[in-house]
Amino acid sequence: TGQPTDKKMSSMAFYAYRLMQRRDSYDFLLRCGPLLHQYVVDMFAKVQSERLRYIRTHQKVLRADQYATLRDQMAADGDAAEQGQRVVLPSSFTGSPRYMMEKTQDALVYVRKFGRPSLFITLTCNPTWDEIQRELKPGQKHDERHDLTARVFREKVKVLIKLLKEKMIFGPVQCYVYTIEWQKRGLPHAHLLLWLKTRVPPAELDNLISAELPDPDLDPELFKIVTKNMVHGPCGDENPASVCMQNGKCTKTFPRSFVPETKSDQSGYPLYRRRSSDNGGITASIRQRGKVVRIDNRWIVPYSPVLLRVFQCHLNVEYCA
């Protein structure tokens, strides 16, 4: 209603508006299950087409003829008039060659200036997070709402960076870089490299990173989180059909060896403490594929107890420096 205006709206803004949840509307699109995925894919194809059309018709505005690599290619190929119309995707277009090259060079600057990173952190989305479950429509599953999963995971990544950068739970931070990927099962995970200003002394490494089961009597909450999210497999003889198995061996080199104390291997990377049951280590029973499996510290993925309590998901932390 009202007077017509000359204002225009992009496809991205329009479909983002349609996908937003509102209390005073039925949110028909968000209740369509797998059809929502098809709708999102088709509409994003339209968004990309709109962006590409703008780039193709505004090459002079983007000054594409000034790119050094383009001039070199034209000089090598001969007369530009014989080459047809070239359309150069700028670095602002996500996924373009110039975009990927720019991000790669930005990341390599950190390595050149600060050396090898200190920590490698992997944060995986947990579909049972309360923030996801309470926003699902009645009868919905998390894999029917990738829009919700992506938004919640994005906020979790912001919290992780805040804890690392501002709260400095591992110490003062020089810089960081991360990327977000999507797994085949439809859940995002983030890979983050962190550069610390000071190295972590070997004596304090066990306080920051653990590769053991916590004592269920002393810390039942952390024990529950670890057994639910930080156990690899088990694979091998217990589950030969595991996705990590190749030629009869685990590609992730599990189960690991028992190590009485944290030490460095020949390559300089730490071998985290993994005590056996005879040396004070904890064992536990978990249910996998309908049967109970007995595990020990050889199957635990290294984690940070502090971060694991906050995020309650698969959160792998490795010390690199």
Side-chain angles (χ1 to χ4, degrees):
T1 61
Q3 297 296 326
T5 64
D6 294 333
K7 293 183 178 180
K8 296 181 180 180
M9 178 182 295
S10 66
S11 297
M12 180 66 179
F14 175 76
Y15 294 116
Y17 175 86
R18 293 294 305 274
L19 291 174
M20 186 62 64
Q21 294 186 152
R22 292 176 177 81
R23 295 181 180 179
D24 57 348
S25 64
Y26 183 68
D27 299 326
F28 177 77
L29 285 174
L30 303 181
R31 302 172 188 266
C32 292
L35 291 178
L36 171 64
H37 304 164
Q38 184 66 45
Y39 175 83
V40 171
V41 171
D42 291 345
M43 296 308 105
F44 189 73
K46 184 186 295 185
V47 171
Q48 289 288 67
S49 298
E50 183 182 79
R51 293 174 177 173
L52 291 171
R53 188 185 308 112
Y54 177 88
I55 293 174
R56 179 171 58 85
T57 57
H58 291 73
Q59 288 286 284
K60 292 184 177 180
V61 177
L62 299 172
R63 297 183 178 179
D65 58 333
Q66 299 298 319
Y67 293 151
T69 54
L70 177 61
R71 294 199 306 269
D72 295 342
Q73 184 66 30
M74 291 172 62
D77 292 343
D79 188 4
E82 299 177 358
Q83 305 303 321
Q85 182 180 2
R86 293 180 181 268
V87 177
V88 181
L89 295 178
S91 59
S92 59
F93 185 82
T94 303
S96 67
R98 295 178 63 83
Y99 171 89
M100 302 300 293
M101 181 61 68
E102 182 180 88
K103 298 301 181 184
T104 302
Q105 292 176 345
D106 290 345
L108 291 176
V109 168
Y110 295 148
V111 179
R112 182 179 64 184
K113 183 174 179 60
F114 301 110
R116 64 192 297 181
S118 304
L119 293 172
F120 177 68
I121 302 174
T122 300
L123 174 68
T124 304
C125 178
N126 185 354
T128 63
W129 277 331
D130 293 338
E131 294 86 349
I132 295 178
Q133 292 297 317
R134 68 168 174 253
E135 297 298 333
L136 293 175
K137 305 297 181 183
Q140 274 189 342
K141 299 179 180 179
H142 70 89
D143 55 3
E144 298 177 0
R145 291 291 307 280
H146 289 319
D147 61 313
L148 179 60
T149 302
R151 289 170 181 167
V152 171
F153 184 74
R154 173 58 179 159
E155 295 302 316
K156 293 288 186 179
V157 172
K158 291 181 181 179
V159 174
L160 174 62
I161 294 176
K162 184 176 181 180
L163 289 175
L164 298 174
K165 185 179 178 181
E166 299 181 11
K167 303 300 181 180
M168 297 184 292
I169 60 174
F170 292 122
V173 175
Q174 293 186 109
C175 61
Y176 64 90
V177 61
Y178 71 93
T179 181
I180 296 179
E181 302 172 351
W182 286 81
Q183 300 173 337
K184 291 182 179 179
R185 57 176 177 167
L187 292 175
H189 64 239
H191 297 298
L192 186 144
L193 293 175
L194 186 74
W195 282 262
L196 300 176
K197 291 185 179 180
T198 57
R199 292 175 57 88
V200 178
E204 298 182 7
L205 193 57
D206 288 334
N207 298 328
L208 299 179
I209 303 176
S210 176
E212 294 186 318
L213 287 164
D215 194 324
D217 297 326
L218 299 178
D219 200 339
E221 179 184 3
L222 184 61
F223 177 82
K224 181 179 179 180
I225 299 173
V226 171
T227 53
K228 183 179 179 180
N229 299 288
M230 302 308 299
V231 177
H232 175 82
C235 54
D237 296 335
E238 296 290 346
N239 183 18
S242 177
V243 295
C244 65
M245 295 295 293
Q246 187 175 358
N247 298 327
K249 295 183 179 180
C250 175
T251 57
K252 310 300 181 183
T253 65
F254 280 92
R256 305 290 173 85
S257 302
F258 287 119
V259 180
E261 296 293 338
T262 300
K263 60 182 180 180
S264 298
D265 62 5
Q266 297 179 353
S267 62
Y269 290 95
L271 295 175
Y272 304 104
R273 182 178 64 187
R274 299 175 185 270
R275 291 171 292 183
S276 63
S277 57
D278 298 332
N279 194 26
I282 304 296
T283 60
S285 297
I286 63 172
R287 181 171 294 274
Q288 183 194 59
R289 299 180 181 274
K291 64 178 181 179
V292 177
V293 180
R294 195 71 178 174
I295 62 170
D296 51 34
N297 290 330
R298 295 177 299 169
W299 299 98
I300 304 302
V301 178
Y303 62 92
S304 166
V306 177
L307 293 179
L308 201 60
R309 292 180 191 274
V310 175
F311 294 97
Q312 299 187 18
C313 64
H314 182 83
L315 204 161
N316 179 214
V317 180
E318 298 279 359
Y319 187 69
C320 306

